[in-house]
Amino acid sequence: MSKVLVFGAGGRAGRAAVVEACRRGIEVKAAVRDPAKYADLAADGVEVVAGDVTDPAEVARLAEGNDAVIAAVYDGNADQAAFFAAAARALVEGLMKAGVDRLVWVGLASTLGTESGALLMDTPGYPQQYRSFYLAHAAGAEVLAESELDWLVIAPAGDFEHAHPDRTGSYRAAPGEAASRISYADFGIALVDEAVAARHHRTRLGVEAG
């Protein structure tokens, strides 16, 4: 049986990964800031633990014995540029110490390449009010790119589907495209596929409903 650690398991993408992993009978450790707030995650044998993704020692301790780590992290109270870079550095250091090679990092559509080759956030008409957030995420991904981990940055090719959020059971790889959509449930399938089967390596991947 595979064992997967999910950082940010209390968020929507993290929860989707936990649900999908449990569906497959995978042993899941769900890391959150305050386990008392996420008692509902402790179903189907999920181990809910406190975890600071910016602490390399804690990352190493929690990751030990796992086959892969999924990081769907965010801290609204932190300086975003500092947070994502610190989280990426801690994951690299901690996972290497724990002997865990596979990391699936949840990124943003804005940092994906489009069919034209330009990043989605640099295309005409793309919203710019959150550009500093896009760049903060990109800085974290750059830390991973400089590491020796078998990492993957995966993101919805455009955005999450909120109107019809059902699980269809399928998805496909796609370039950055603002109109593209995928449900959290289907995104969870992609996260777990990449964690346990590692189909893409050391790259950025966009996915959409398939």
Side-chain angles (χ1 to χ4, degrees):
M1 178 189 296
S2 297
K3 296 182 179 180
V4 175
L5 167 64
V6 180
F7 276 104
R12 285 176 288 186
R15 281 178 178 272
V18 170
V19 170
E20 181 60 30
C22 288
R23 183 191 294 269
R24 303 187 195 188
I26 294 170
E27 187 174 327
V28 181
K29 184 182 292 183
V32 294
R33 293 188 187 91
D34 183 359
K37 294 182 178 179
Y38 300 99
D40 61 308
L41 283 173
D44 299 318
V46 174
E47 180 185 3
V48 182
V49 298
D52 180 357
V53 74
T54 64
D55 183 336
E58 200 157 324
V59 170
R61 177 178 62 83
L62 294 175
E64 188 172 358
N66 285 272
D67 299 301
V69 172
I70 296 170
V73 297
Y74 170 71
D75 185 349
N77 296 317
D79 173 88
Q80 298 307 305
F83 171 74
F84 287 112
R89 286 193 295 268
L91 284 163
V92 169
E93 182 178 340
L95 296 191
M96 292 184 69
K97 183 176 181 180
V100 178
D101 188 47
R102 183 62 171 173
L103 172 64
V104 179
W105 169 281
V106 176
L108 297 178
S110 55
T111 66
L112 295 174
T114 61
E115 285 190 349
S116 71
L119 296 181
L120 184 57
M121 64 179 171
D122 293 332
T123 57
Y126 196 78
Q128 296 298 308
Q129 61 265 41
Y130 304 112
R131 189 174 181 85
S132 62
F133 184 65
Y134 309 155
L135 294 174
H137 246 287
E142 287 304 314
V143 172
L144 302 183
E146 294 170 0
S147 78
E148 296 180 0
L149 287 180
D150 180 18
W151 58 270
L152 174 70
V153 174
I154 184 170
D159 199 356
F160 289 106
E161 176 61 77
H162 299 289
H164 304 286
D166 297 333
R167 182 184 191 275
T168 69
S170 65
Y171 66 91
R172 62 191 174 200
E177 167 55 59
S180 174
R181 294 293 183 269
I182 188 170
S183 70
Y184 278 101
D186 288 339
F187 189 66
I189 297 173
L191 289 175
V192 176
D193 280 351
E194 289 296 343
V196 300
R199 298 172 179 175
H200 297 82
H201 305 271
R202 299 182 59 82
T203 190
R204 293 170 173 81
L205 176 68
V207 290
E208 66 181 7

